[in-house]
Amino acid sequence: MTLQILLVFAILLASLVLFIGGWIRIDLVALLVLAVLAISGLVSAREALSGFSSPAVVTVWAMFILSGGLARTGIAGRLGDQVLRVAGRGELRLVLVIMLTSAFLSAFMNNVGVAALLLPVVMDISRSTGIAPSRLLMPLAYSSLLGGLTTLIGTPPNILVSEALRDQGMRPFGLFDYSPVGGGAALVGVLFMAFVGRRLLPGRESPRAAGEAAVAAGAAAAAGAALPTGPPAAPDLEELYELHEELFTIPVAAGSPLVGKPLAESRFGAALDLNVVAILRNGETLFAPGPEEILRSGDRLLVQGSPERLAEFRGRRSLQVSEDSLAVERLTSADVDVAEARLLPGATLVGQALREVDFRGRFGLNVLAIEREGSGDRRPRPDLPLQAGDRLLVQGASARIEALRADSGFEVSAAEHARLYHLAEQLFALHVTPDSVLAGKSLAESRLGGAFGLSVLSILREGRTYPMPDPEEKLRALDTLIVSGRPEDTEAIESLRELEVERAGARGVEALRSERVGLVEAVLAPRTALAGSSLRELHFRIKYGLTVLAIMRQGEILRERIADIPLRFGDALLLYGPAERLRLLGAEPDFLVLTRGAQEAPRTDKAPIAALLMGLVIVPVLLGWVPIYIAAVAGASLMVLTGCLTMDEAYRDIEWPAVFLIAGMLPLGIALDRTGGAALVAEQVVSSVGRFGPVAVMAGLFALTSAGTQIIPTAALVVLMAPIVLNTAAGMGISPYALMMTVAMAASASFGSPVSHPANVLVMGPGGYRFTDYVRVGMPLTLAVFVMVILLTPIFWPLYPG
């Protein structure tokens, strides 16, 4: 084994570890691989960049645009509607029709795009037929993958396998060369799901209902009674998310501090995780009130959330505002001091705000007040640009103050005139009472900042001052908190303690229904950039005017502090708000609203043009007039030119991470082949499995590739497998076409886990699926596809061609 082979194997191993670990984005990993290969000399600079001009990469991104054109003109949706209209109401017939329709569309469109296109259609069918979404959505996702097996343009692995053959001077696979094997595998997969896999699918129930059903089933079995049969009915969203358990009313009494305040200042959401979904006022219902709605005496607020938190909050007094004036001495201790820092002309901080420069993090000091000539406002507002001559009253560890003294931008002196800053105007002390609900909780859990607009600068505890406490610092009874804010902000705390709670029950659920407001589910769109962001970071309610009542994640309902939960691809969001706002959200590219009524209207007048252009791409390729990549680019360009979609939409429809992943990993395939690494692996395959015959090698390659798709991006896996497979075929003296066909089929058989393909993740939240559901249904389906591929491939692609 040469040094070059060791180096390329090290790069391969490192990339696999990064792919599996998920610490770095997969497209960034691919670009790093590209750079390392070029720098190490394993490939030339031109070869390192050759992936970006590769026909495979060009075909992939052009097909993304063509797929987007078919979706945006409504041609794919119209075809789906017409076919599904004849499906009837029986579950077996629906599963068959949904899967056959999805598989047909996926033969010519992007898999994830088809799943996203038909997802709202299938959800509407679920609601109209009463069949649980969990009985229909996994078949939808799996059929979008099965359909991709049938044509060259059905999925990127097929394109990559074909181009790998072309690069070796062999005839590449044609447009429908995959159809005999892929079509047989897809047909068996559809029949398996309809008659066997369907019986393994869960019924989508709420966690509470599922638990009660399990108890009832156990009791029935113990009593010898017959268990109910047939598909479970689809619950309403109210039932699924258990809203009847989470709705209650709060009367606003005369004299309440809430009277005359806008809803935003009530702090219901920030402090208690409660959503005001309606206001019952003078016999009328005000649905989905905005944050500016003024509360009135006699209002009854219909609130969604956990009443236990409010009951706990009301049970004990939490904080008591100190009546004493805040003397500077209370801000200092043996190792904590207060100083005055004057900002000098020419300092780098001039013109920048405290938040912008992260003053607290950069210098380790609290800014208690700012004295500015000609201004009577001494509050240290975080967005106020600093000016030369500003005097900052700072507090912190003595060592930190000495470090600031050494900074050339400040003139630091003792705070001899601290009384001139009138600290009582912006600072005050809060005592944590002996029976406070906050005792034992961290500062972050207290929500004093997010809920009440208060910033804790220091904690006075047992005679010592602890400046700038960590958010995870646990509060103790009898602590004194030095807080920046307004004393009247604590009135909001006391006003919440006075509220009474009444269960709303079924009446509350009925109050959610109106022509003007709606209750729908939505998921993150396949190519969104919002994954990893929280609702608070997105300013979701302000931006979209909708309330997120709950999140369904892997079969569990999340309600606690959902504004701070990072969103994941596959989460289902339960949304409530005005119908026009829901329709606006349906037009947003980052979200997919799971009902067709809220979808952006397609450009149906362009549908005939889109269909014609797709035909003009396919026919010349079939006749051998032009290569697929030239036809795809021409078709994509004409899609934009004819107005089927805009250029911005075309860019948005391209799955850029997949493009960069393939382009970055192709040079690694070149390095594996050139250094002899691929030949070395092929020798091991032949020596270990070859003695059992070529069919055994096919089976081993299918198993290895299929297992790899569960943890490695399929495109990267095919790029790495292609040179190994070609060398294995050469070493055994058999046709490479059978082995390459096997790898292509296995790469798209990504059924065993939700993370193995984006289409699987897309339906996870709406279907209420758990990880084990994919294993239980997907592994037998993979085995069925495996059997068909091993049986059909030698028939249509002989191992020893004459």
Side-chain angles (χ1 to χ4, degrees):
M1 186 180 296
T2 66
L3 179 61
Q4 284 189 323
I5 293 178
L6 286 173
L7 184 56
V8 79
F9 280 166
I11 296 172
L12 172 60
L13 179 62
S15 64
L16 293 180
V17 170
L18 291 175
F19 282 142
I20 297 170
W23 305 295
I24 304 177
R25 286 175 49 131
I26 58 173
D27 45 352
L28 180 57
V29 173
L31 293 178
L32 291 173
V33 167
L34 180 155
V36 172
L37 288 171
I39 293 172
S40 63
L42 291 172
V43 297
S44 67
R46 184 177 296 275
E47 289 170 331
L49 298 177
S50 62
F52 290 98
S53 60
S54 163
V57 173
V58 172
T59 306
V60 167
W61 65 250
M63 289 309 304
F64 280 133
I65 297 176
L66 287 168
S67 177
L70 293 177
R72 293 180 187 279
T73 55
I75 186 170
R78 183 184 301 177
L79 176 62
D81 285 347
Q82 294 298 325
V83 176
L84 294 175
R85 188 173 297 169
V86 302
R89 304 179 68 86
E91 182 180 285
L92 172 60
R93 191 172 175 182
L94 273 170
V95 168
L96 280 170
V97 173
I98 287 172
M99 293 194 72
L100 290 172
T101 304
S102 173
F104 174 77
L105 292 174
S106 295
F108 305 99
M109 295 177 61
N110 174 251
N111 317 87
V112 185
V114 170
L117 179 74
L118 294 181
L119 180 55
V121 179
V122 174
M123 291 297 291
D124 282 347
I125 290 174
S126 169
R127 283 186 281 269
S128 64
T129 60
I131 297 174
S134 59
R135 312 288 294 180
L136 304 175
L137 292 183
M138 194 178 290
L140 168 65
Y142 284 168
S143 59
S144 72
L145 302 182
L146 289 168
L149 300 175
T150 59
T151 66
L152 171 65
I153 59 177
T155 184
N158 291 2
I159 298 172
L160 290 168
V161 164
S162 180
E163 287 305 317
L165 290 169
R166 187 196 302 273
D167 290 342
Q168 295 299 315
M170 304 177 191
R171 185 185 71 83
F173 285 126
L175 186 61
F176 290 109
D177 282 348
Y178 292 93
S179 299
V181 178
L187 181 60
V188 167
V190 169
L191 294 176
F192 172 85
M193 286 300 299
F195 293 100
V196 180
R198 176 173 62 92
R199 304 182 187 280
L200 303 176
L201 292 169
R204 189 191 186 205
E205 302 173 290
S206 68
R208 183 189 301 273
E212 292 173 352
V215 172
L227 296 178
T229 59
D236 293 334
L237 289 176
E238 296 92 334
E239 177 187 348
L240 177 66
Y241 285 88
E242 302 173 352
L243 289 186
H244 60 285
E245 298 288 338
E246 296 286 322
L247 287 173
F248 53 97
T249 57
I250 297 177
V252 180
S256 169
L258 295 176
V259 174
K261 288 187 175 182
L263 194 57
E265 293 185 15
S266 69
R267 314 297 173 93
F268 282 115
L272 303 175
D273 275 331
L274 303 179
N275 293 305
V276 180
V277 296
I279 298 178
L280 311 180
R281 176 181 293 164
N282 299 328
E284 297 182 354
T285 302
L286 177 63
F287 295 101
E292 70 286 346
E293 184 65 33
I294 302 297
L295 298 178
R296 303 179 189 176
S297 174
D299 282 349
R300 298 178 67 80
L301 311 181
L302 181 61
V303 178
Q304 179 265 342
S306 173
E308 287 76 16
R309 178 161 173 78
L310 180 57
E312 179 190 51
F313 194 86
R314 293 172 56 239
R316 290 178 282 174
R317 192 177 186 85
S318 299
L319 298 166
Q320 184 177 18
V321 181
S322 174
E323 299 295 335
D324 302 331
S325 60
L326 190 62
V328 173
E329 289 74 18
R330 299 187 65 188
L331 301 175
T332 63
S333 64
D335 53 356
V336 176
D337 207 350
V338 174
E340 185 180 77
R342 186 171 72 89
L343 189 61
L344 299 176
T348 56
L349 269 60
V350 172
Q352 300 187 67
L354 294 175
R355 176 179 295 158
E356 186 180 353
V357 299
D358 186 22
F359 191 94
R360 181 167 175 167
R362 179 174 175 178
F363 297 102
L365 298 169
N366 288 318
V367 178
L368 305 179
I370 298 178
E371 177 75 25
R372 174 174 293 176
E373 186 176 350
S375 174
D377 187 355
R378 300 175 180 83
R379 290 177 299 165
R381 290 177 292 171
D383 297 322
L384 178 69
L386 298 174
Q387 296 179 4
D390 285 349
R391 295 181 181 274
L392 283 62
L393 188 67
V394 298
Q395 177 224 21
S398 301
R400 290 285 191 173
I401 291 178
E402 287 303 314
L404 185 67
R405 196 185 303 275
D407 191 294
S408 60
F410 291 97
E411 181 181 81
V412 180
S413 59
E416 299 175 353
H417 307 289
R419 64 184 184 279
L420 300 179
Y421 287 86
H422 303 284
L423 293 181
E425 294 178 2
Q426 57 265 348
L427 302 180
F428 58 97
L430 289 175
H431 297 305
V432 181
T433 58
D435 62 343
S436 174
V437 69
L438 298 181
K441 293 188 175 181
S442 67
L443 276 173
E445 292 171 333
S446 74
R447 304 196 187 186
L448 289 174
F452 301 103
L454 305 175
S455 177
V456 179
L457 303 178
S458 301
I459 297 178
L460 308 184
R461 177 182 295 162
E462 298 176 352
R464 294 193 61 187
T465 299
Y466 298 89
M468 291 182 299
D470 188 89
E472 299 306 315
E473 176 70 29
K474 299 291 184 182
L475 297 176
R476 303 180 189 175
L478 304 181
D479 278 350
T480 297
L481 313 180
I482 306 301
V483 176
S484 172
R486 300 174 303 171
E488 53 265 32
D489 287 333
T490 60
E491 294 177 4
I493 303 176
E494 295 306 309
S495 66
L496 294 180
R497 294 184 65 249
E498 299 172 4
L499 299 175
E500 300 293 332
V501 177
E502 301 173 4
R503 282 282 181 188
R507 272 181 43 235
V509 174
E510 289 294 330
L512 292 177
R513 301 190 179 111
S514 164
E515 294 182 357
R516 299 191 303 274
V517 297
L519 194 67
V520 300
E521 283 181 298
V523 296
L524 291 180
R527 282 178 278 280
T528 182
L530 302 185
S533 301
S534 68
L535 295 169
R536 191 184 307 280
E537 291 169 341
L538 297 176
H539 305 289
F540 187 89
R541 186 162 188 176
I542 297 173
K543 183 176 181 180
Y544 299 107
L546 299 169
T547 300
V548 180
L549 301 182
I551 297 175
M552 178 77 77
R553 174 176 292 172
Q554 298 186 19
E556 296 184 9
I557 302 172
L558 307 180
R559 294 192 188 89
E560 295 291 326
R561 304 187 68 176
I562 59 176
D564 299 313
I565 297 176
L567 297 178
R568 297 181 190 171
F569 185 53
D571 286 346
L573 281 61
L574 181 65
L575 303 175
Y576 174 75
E580 64 271 14
R581 288 285 188 173
L582 294 172
R583 284 190 289 270
L584 287 174
L585 185 69
E588 286 287 327
D590 289 311
F591 292 94
L592 181 63
V593 181
L594 303 186
T595 178
R596 283 178 293 178
Q599 296 294 310
E600 183 180 14
R603 304 181 182 103
T604 52
D605 59 316
K606 300 291 185 179
I609 298 176
L612 176 63
L613 291 177
M614 196 66 193
L616 291 176
V617 169
I618 293 173
V619 172
V621 174
L622 280 176
L623 297 176
W625 293 347
V626 292
I628 179 63
Y629 48 91
I630 297 298
V633 170
S637 302
L638 289 173
M639 279 281 189
V640 176
L641 188 64
T642 56
C644 293
L645 74 170
T646 67
M647 200 65 199
D648 287 340
E649 290 169 340
Y651 282 126
R652 199 155 54 232
D653 285 333
I654 297 173
E655 195 173 323
W656 290 109
V659 171
F660 279 90
L661 171 67
I662 298 170
M665 293 302 292
L666 281 172
L668 183 55
I670 296 173
L672 271 172
D673 190 35
R674 175 174 300 166
T675 60
L680 183 63
V681 175
E683 289 174 9
Q684 297 300 316
V685 172
V686 173
S687 63
S688 58
V689 187
R691 63 180 181 273
F692 299 107
V695 174
V697 173
M698 286 174 53
L701 290 173
F702 187 103
L704 177 62
T705 306
S706 181
T709 62
Q710 311 307 314
I711 54 176
I712 304 171
T714 55
L717 184 62
V718 170
V719 168
L720 299 177
M721 289 294 295
I724 296 173
V725 171
L726 291 171
N727 279 274
T728 300
M732 295 185 67
I734 61 177
S735 168
Y737 290 97
L739 299 188
M740 293 293 273
M741 178 64 67
T742 301
V743 168
M745 296 294 108
S748 296
S750 308
F751 310 120
S753 78
V755 297
S756 60
H757 198 278
N760 295 346
V761 184
L762 181 66
V763 301
M764 193 175 192
Y769 298 122
R770 294 180 172 85
F771 191 96
T772 53
D773 295 327
Y774 290 88
V775 177
R776 184 173 60 252
V777 183
M779 296 310 291
L781 175 59
T782 303
L783 182 60
V785 171
F786 165 77
V787 171
M788 288 305 299
V789 170
I790 298 302
L791 288 176
L792 294 176
T793 300
I795 296 174
F796 294 99
W797 300 95
L799 291 165
Y800 298 101

